[in-house]
């Protein structure tokens, strides 16, 4: 199966500080791939380099066979990559429905509409006129996911979507993500909880100090392998 997105020797800097040291990564259509690693391992930096927030060599990031490294973020979204950012980052002055509609600004064709988002997360329809930031943390996360889906992406990137949420809410969010994947979407999931990362993904990458320290099929990797790759001990 061909790769939907891949990186090749991807490097990234914050000024003079190098944060990524040659990341090789790939994800195939309709896969869920998880990325784990300690704080400061380079996970969020990697996502920023993919989505154009950080500059990167054009050939170091390829999407559907085309080089997109260094492309501006709005063009990356128009190409078909959407991100659910850490911390949700809803527009506080907008209602739930207005926040969702903001995701559709690129007018990419595809299956995701307001009604389909409301079908996935029925509570959002009930609260559609409420301010987005007046919702619970889990409901705000649903809005953030729905807003990303409204751009009709081919690749959905989720950065720490379970952070700060109750276990029951995390389970609900990941059930929805599995349903999204069954509808043909591909997803990269950055996740702090290793058990959750293994459970929801087909393949897993571990980052350590800006490098890939482990990769493999999620169900095949042992606790010992992951611990060594995660902590370097």
């Amino acid at each position: 199966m061909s790769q939907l997105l891949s990186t090749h020797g991807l490097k990234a800097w914050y000024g003079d500080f190098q944060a990524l040291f040659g990341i090789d990564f790939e994800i195939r259509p309709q896969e869920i791939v998880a990325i784990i690693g300690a704080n400061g391992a380079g996970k969020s930096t990697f996502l920023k380099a993919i989505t154009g927030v950080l500059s990167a060599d054009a050939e170091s990031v390829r999407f559907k066979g085309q080089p997109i490294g260094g492309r501006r973020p709005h063009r990356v979204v128009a190409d078909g990559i959407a991100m659910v950012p850490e911390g949700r980052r809803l527009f506080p002055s907008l209602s739930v429905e207005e926040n969702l509609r903001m995701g559709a600004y690129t007018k990419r064709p595809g299956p995701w509409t307001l009604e389909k988002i409301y079908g996935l997360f029925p509570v959002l329809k009930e609260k559609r006129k409420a301010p987005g930031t007046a919702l619970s943390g889990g409901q705000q996360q649903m809005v953030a996911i729905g807003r990303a889906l409204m751009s009709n992406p081919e690749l959905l990137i989720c950065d720490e979507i379970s952070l700060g949420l109750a276990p029951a809410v995390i389970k609900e969010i990941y059930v929805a993500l599995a349903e999204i994947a069954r509808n043909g979407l591909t997803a990269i999931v950055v996740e702090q909880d290793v058990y959750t990362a293994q459970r929801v993904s087909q393949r897993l990458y571990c980052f350590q100090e800006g490098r890939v320290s482990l990769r493999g099929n999620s169900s095949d990797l042992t606790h010992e392998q992951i611990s060594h790759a995660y902590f370097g001990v």
Side-chain angles (χ1 to χ4, degrees), residues 4-7 10 25-28 31-36 42-54 61-63 68 73 76-77 79-89 112 141-162 173-174 177 180-181 185-191 207:
L4 180 64
L5 178 133
S6 59
T7 68
L10 176 62
F25 173 94
E26 65 177 47
I27 186 168
R28 306 178 193 97
E31 271 193 316
I32 297 179
V33 172
I35 300 174
I36 61 171
K43 307 183 302 296
S44 292
T45 300
F46 177 70
L47 301 187
K48 290 175 182 177
I50 289 174
T51 55
V53 177
L54 283 178
V61 184
R62 298 186 71 87
F63 183 60
I68 65 164
V76 174
V77 175
D79 288 338
I81 300 175
M83 184 157 161
V84 183
E86 180 182 352
R88 300 177 280 273
R89 301 184 191 174
W112 290 101
Q141 193 61 272
M142 294 173 189
V143 177
I145 293 170
R147 180 180 61 189
L149 291 174
M150 286 288 287
S151 71
N152 277 298
E154 294 176 64
L155 175 63
L156 182 69
I157 300 176
C158 302
D159 191 6
E160 305 282 14
I161 58 174
S162 67
I173 292 289
Y174 274 110
L177 188 64
I180 292 165
L185 204 60
T186 306
I188 297 172
V189 177
V190 169
E191 178 57 63
F207 284 16

Side-chain angles (χ1 to χ4, degrees), residues 57-198:
D57 291 339
E59 290 289 345
S60 66
V61 184
R62 298 186 71 87
F63 183 60
K64 297 192 292 186
Q66 299 300 312
I68 65 164
R71 192 167 288 185
R72 298 295 297 274
H74 71 276
R75 287 195 59 200
V76 174
V77 175
D79 288 338
I81 300 175
M83 184 157 161
V84 183
E86 180 182 352
R88 300 177 280 273
R89 301 184 191 174
L90 302 185
F91 298 101
S93 63
L94 302 183
S95 69
V96 166
E97 187 159 306
E98 287 168 337
N99 266 283
L100 292 172
R101 289 185 182 278
M102 286 295 292
Y105 75 93
T106 61
K107 295 181 168 55
R108 270 179 60 85
W112 290 101
T113 61
L114 268 178
E115 285 309 311
K116 191 156 184 181
I117 300 298
Y118 290 149
L120 185 67
F121 298 121
V123 68
L124 298 187
K125 187 168 187 178
E126 299 170 19
K127 297 179 179 290
R128 63 187 181 276
K129 296 189 182 302
T133 52
L135 276 58
S136 70
Q139 290 166 353
Q140 288 186 40
Q141 193 61 272
M142 294 173 189
V143 177
I145 293 170
R147 180 180 61 189
L149 291 174
M150 286 288 287
S151 71
N152 277 298
E154 294 176 64
L155 175 63
L156 182 69
I157 300 176
C158 302
D159 191 6
E160 305 282 14
I161 58 174
S162 67
L163 200 63
L165 302 183
V169 177
I170 294 171
K171 183 177 179 181
E172 185 179 359
I173 292 289
Y174 274 110
V175 166
L177 188 64
E179 177 64 24
I180 292 165
R182 281 193 292 272
N183 282 321
L185 204 60
T186 306
I188 297 172
V189 177
V190 169
E191 178 57 63
Q192 283 278 12
D193 185 272
V194 173
Y195 170 75
T196 298
Q198 278 193 283

